[in-house]
Short mmCIF file of all heavy atoms in Angstrom, two decimals:
data_model
loop_
_atom_site.label_atom_id
_atom_site.label_comp_id
_atom_site.label_asym_id
_atom_site.label_seq_id
_atom_site.Cartn_x
_atom_site.Cartn_y
_atom_site.Cartn_z
N HIS A 797 -8.48 4.76 -7.48
CA HIS A 797 -7.27 5.55 -7.70
C HIS A 797 -6.82 6.22 -6.41
O HIS A 797 -5.64 6.23 -6.07
CB HIS A 797 -7.51 6.59 -8.79
CG HIS A 797 -6.30 7.41 -9.10
ND1 HIS A 797 -6.08 8.63 -8.52
CD2 HIS A 797 -5.23 7.16 -9.89
CE1 HIS A 797 -4.93 9.11 -8.95
NE2 HIS A 797 -4.39 8.25 -9.80
N THR A 798 -7.76 6.78 -5.65
CA THR A 798 -7.44 7.43 -4.38
C THR A 798 -6.86 6.42 -3.40
O THR A 798 -5.88 6.71 -2.70
CB THR A 798 -8.70 8.08 -3.78
OG1 THR A 798 -9.23 9.01 -4.73
CG2 THR A 798 -8.39 8.79 -2.48
N ASN A 799 -7.41 5.22 -3.34
CA ASN A 799 -6.88 4.18 -2.45
C ASN A 799 -5.46 3.78 -2.84
O ASN A 799 -4.61 3.58 -1.98
CB ASN A 799 -7.79 2.95 -2.45
CG ASN A 799 -9.11 3.22 -1.75
OD1 ASN A 799 -9.22 4.15 -0.96
ND2 ASN A 799 -10.11 2.39 -2.05
N LEU A 800 -5.20 3.64 -4.15
CA LEU A 800 -3.86 3.30 -4.61
C LEU A 800 -2.86 4.39 -4.25
O LEU A 800 -1.75 4.12 -3.81
CB LEU A 800 -3.85 3.05 -6.12
CG LEU A 800 -4.38 1.72 -6.59
CD1 LEU A 800 -4.46 1.69 -8.11
CD2 LEU A 800 -3.51 0.59 -6.09
N VAL A 801 -3.25 5.64 -4.43
CA VAL A 801 -2.37 6.76 -4.11
C VAL A 801 -2.09 6.78 -2.61
O VAL A 801 -0.95 6.98 -2.18
CB VAL A 801 -2.97 8.10 -4.59
CG1 VAL A 801 -2.20 9.28 -4.01
CG2 VAL A 801 -2.99 8.17 -6.10
N GLN A 802 -3.11 6.57 -1.80
CA GLN A 802 -2.93 6.57 -0.35
C GLN A 802 -1.97 5.47 0.10
O GLN A 802 -1.22 5.65 1.05
CB GLN A 802 -4.28 6.40 0.37
CG GLN A 802 -5.19 7.60 0.27
CD GLN A 802 -4.60 8.83 0.96
OE1 GLN A 802 -3.78 8.73 1.84
NE2 GLN A 802 -5.03 10.00 0.51
N GLN A 803 -1.97 4.32 -0.57
CA GLN A 803 -1.07 3.22 -0.21
C GLN A 803 0.38 3.58 -0.48
O GLN A 803 1.27 3.02 0.15
CB GLN A 803 -1.44 1.96 -0.99
CG GLN A 803 -2.75 1.34 -0.56
CD GLN A 803 -3.12 0.17 -1.46
OE1 GLN A 803 -2.43 -0.13 -2.44
NE2 GLN A 803 -4.21 -0.48 -1.14
N HIS A 804 0.65 4.49 -1.41
CA HIS A 804 2.02 4.82 -1.79
C HIS A 804 2.52 6.14 -1.19
O HIS A 804 3.53 6.66 -1.62
CB HIS A 804 2.15 4.86 -3.31
CG HIS A 804 1.92 3.53 -3.94
ND1 HIS A 804 2.76 2.46 -3.77
CD2 HIS A 804 0.92 3.08 -4.73
CE1 HIS A 804 2.30 1.42 -4.42
NE2 HIS A 804 1.17 1.77 -5.01
N LEU A 805 1.81 6.67 -0.20
CA LEU A 805 2.26 7.88 0.46
C LEU A 805 3.00 7.52 1.74
O LEU A 805 2.83 6.44 2.30
CB LEU A 805 1.07 8.79 0.80
CG LEU A 805 0.35 9.40 -0.40
CD1 LEU A 805 -0.82 10.24 0.06
CD2 LEU A 805 1.29 10.25 -1.24
N PHE A 806 3.84 8.44 2.22
CA PHE A 806 4.58 8.22 3.46
C PHE A 806 3.62 8.15 4.64
O PHE A 806 2.68 8.93 4.74
CB PHE A 806 5.56 9.38 3.70
CG PHE A 806 6.92 9.18 3.10
CD1 PHE A 806 7.15 8.24 2.13
CD2 PHE A 806 7.97 9.97 3.53
CE1 PHE A 806 8.40 8.08 1.58
CE2 PHE A 806 9.23 9.81 2.99
CZ PHE A 806 9.45 8.86 2.01
N GLY A 807 3.91 7.25 5.54
CA GLY A 807 3.20 7.16 6.81
C GLY A 807 4.10 7.68 7.92
O GLY A 807 5.21 8.17 7.68
N TRP A 808 3.67 7.57 9.17
CA TRP A 808 4.44 8.09 10.29
C TRP A 808 5.79 7.39 10.41
O TRP A 808 6.79 8.02 10.74
CB TRP A 808 3.65 8.01 11.60
CG TRP A 808 3.41 6.60 12.07
CD1 TRP A 808 2.35 5.80 11.78
CD2 TRP A 808 4.28 5.84 12.90
NE1 TRP A 808 2.51 4.58 12.37
CE2 TRP A 808 3.69 4.57 13.07
CE3 TRP A 808 5.50 6.09 13.51
CZ2 TRP A 808 4.28 3.57 13.83
CZ3 TRP A 808 6.08 5.08 14.27
CH2 TRP A 808 5.47 3.84 14.42
N LEU A 809 5.83 6.08 10.14
CA LEU A 809 7.09 5.34 10.24
C LEU A 809 8.08 5.81 9.16
O LEU A 809 9.28 5.96 9.44
CB LEU A 809 6.83 3.83 10.11
CG LEU A 809 8.04 2.93 10.24
CD1 LEU A 809 8.70 3.10 11.61
CD2 LEU A 809 7.66 1.47 10.02
N ASP A 810 7.58 6.04 7.96
CA ASP A 810 8.44 6.53 6.88
C ASP A 810 9.06 7.89 7.23
O ASP A 810 10.26 8.10 7.04
CB ASP A 810 7.66 6.64 5.58
CG ASP A 810 7.09 5.32 5.13
OD1 ASP A 810 7.86 4.34 5.07
OD2 ASP A 810 5.87 5.27 4.84
N TYR A 811 8.21 8.80 7.74
CA TYR A 811 8.72 10.11 8.13
C TYR A 811 9.72 10.01 9.28
O TYR A 811 10.74 10.70 9.29
CB TYR A 811 7.57 11.05 8.53
CG TYR A 811 6.83 11.62 7.35
CD1 TYR A 811 5.51 11.26 7.09
CD2 TYR A 811 7.44 12.54 6.50
CE1 TYR A 811 4.82 11.79 6.01
CE2 TYR A 811 6.76 13.06 5.43
CZ TYR A 811 5.46 12.69 5.18
OH TYR A 811 4.79 13.21 4.11
N THR A 812 9.45 9.12 10.23
CA THR A 812 10.36 8.94 11.36
C THR A 812 11.72 8.45 10.87
O THR A 812 12.76 8.98 11.27
CB THR A 812 9.77 7.94 12.37
OG1 THR A 812 8.49 8.42 12.79
CG2 THR A 812 10.67 7.76 13.58
N LEU A 813 11.72 7.44 10.01
CA LEU A 813 12.99 6.91 9.49
C LEU A 813 13.73 7.95 8.65
O LEU A 813 14.95 8.05 8.73
CB LEU A 813 12.74 5.64 8.68
CG LEU A 813 12.29 4.43 9.48
CD1 LEU A 813 11.93 3.27 8.55
CD2 LEU A 813 13.36 4.01 10.46
N LEU A 814 13.00 8.74 7.88
CA LEU A 814 13.63 9.79 7.07
C LEU A 814 14.30 10.82 7.98
O LEU A 814 15.46 11.19 7.75
CB LEU A 814 12.59 10.46 6.18
CG LEU A 814 13.10 11.60 5.30
CD1 LEU A 814 14.09 11.10 4.27
CD2 LEU A 814 11.94 12.32 4.63
N VAL A 815 13.62 11.25 9.02
CA VAL A 815 14.18 12.24 9.93
C VAL A 815 15.39 11.66 10.68
O VAL A 815 16.42 12.32 10.82
CB VAL A 815 13.11 12.76 10.92
CG1 VAL A 815 13.72 13.55 12.06
CG2 VAL A 815 12.08 13.59 10.18
N VAL A 816 15.28 10.41 11.16
CA VAL A 816 16.40 9.77 11.86
C VAL A 816 17.62 9.67 10.95
O VAL A 816 18.74 9.97 11.35
CB VAL A 816 16.00 8.37 12.39
CG1 VAL A 816 17.20 7.56 12.82
CG2 VAL A 816 15.02 8.52 13.54
N MET A 817 17.41 9.28 9.68
CA MET A 817 18.52 9.18 8.73
C MET A 817 19.16 10.54 8.47
O MET A 817 20.38 10.68 8.46
CB MET A 817 18.02 8.56 7.42
CG MET A 817 19.09 8.28 6.39
SD MET A 817 19.40 9.57 5.15
CE MET A 817 17.82 10.03 4.59
N LEU A 818 18.35 11.57 8.30
CA LEU A 818 18.88 12.91 8.04
C LEU A 818 19.64 13.45 9.25
O LEU A 818 20.71 14.04 9.11
CB LEU A 818 17.76 13.86 7.64
CG LEU A 818 17.13 13.62 6.27
CD1 LEU A 818 15.93 14.54 6.06
CD2 LEU A 818 18.14 13.79 5.16
N VAL A 819 19.10 13.23 10.45
CA VAL A 819 19.78 13.69 11.67
C VAL A 819 21.09 12.94 11.86
O VAL A 819 22.13 13.54 12.17
CB VAL A 819 18.85 13.55 12.90
CG1 VAL A 819 19.62 13.73 14.19
CG2 VAL A 819 17.71 14.54 12.81
N ALA A 820 21.07 11.61 11.67
CA ALA A 820 22.28 10.80 11.85
C ALA A 820 23.38 11.22 10.88
O ALA A 820 24.53 11.41 11.28
CB ALA A 820 21.96 9.32 11.70
N THR A 821 23.04 11.39 9.61
CA THR A 821 24.07 11.78 8.64
C THR A 821 24.57 13.20 8.91
O THR A 821 25.75 13.48 8.72
CB THR A 821 23.56 11.65 7.19
OG1 THR A 821 22.35 12.40 7.04
CG2 THR A 821 23.31 10.21 6.81
N SER A 822 23.68 14.08 9.36
CA SER A 822 24.12 15.43 9.71
C SER A 822 25.07 15.41 10.90
O SER A 822 26.07 16.13 10.92
CB SER A 822 22.91 16.32 10.02
OG SER A 822 22.10 16.45 8.88
N LEU A 823 24.76 14.61 11.91
CA LEU A 823 25.63 14.51 13.08
C LEU A 823 26.99 13.92 12.74
O LEU A 823 28.02 14.38 13.25
CB LEU A 823 24.96 13.69 14.19
CG LEU A 823 23.76 14.36 14.87
CD1 LEU A 823 23.10 13.41 15.86
CD2 LEU A 823 24.18 15.66 15.55
N ILE A 824 27.01 12.92 11.86
CA ILE A 824 28.29 12.34 11.42
C ILE A 824 29.13 13.40 10.70
O ILE A 824 30.32 13.56 10.98
CB ILE A 824 28.05 11.11 10.52
CG1 ILE A 824 27.49 9.96 11.34
CG2 ILE A 824 29.35 10.68 9.82
CD1 ILE A 824 26.97 8.81 10.51
N GLY A 825 28.51 14.13 9.79
CA GLY A 825 29.22 15.19 9.08
C GLY A 825 29.70 16.28 10.01
O GLY A 825 30.83 16.78 9.89
#
């Protein structure tokens, strides 16, 4: 169960893409 949960958590790439998307949309606005 712990291994399955760990597979579905955000990694560094996910956090990077999330931050880039939020910054880009904020800058456009």
Side-chain angles (χ1 to χ4, degrees):
H797 182 264
T798 303
N799 290 339
L800 282 173
V801 169
Q802 289 297 336
Q803 290 175 356
H804 296 293
L805 292 178
F806 271 17
W808 68 269
L809 182 61
D810 300 309
Y811 282 112
T812 303
L813 291 174
L814 179 65
V815 168
V816 167
M817 186 267 313
L818 291 174
V819 168
T821 54
S822 297
L823 290 175
I824 290 168

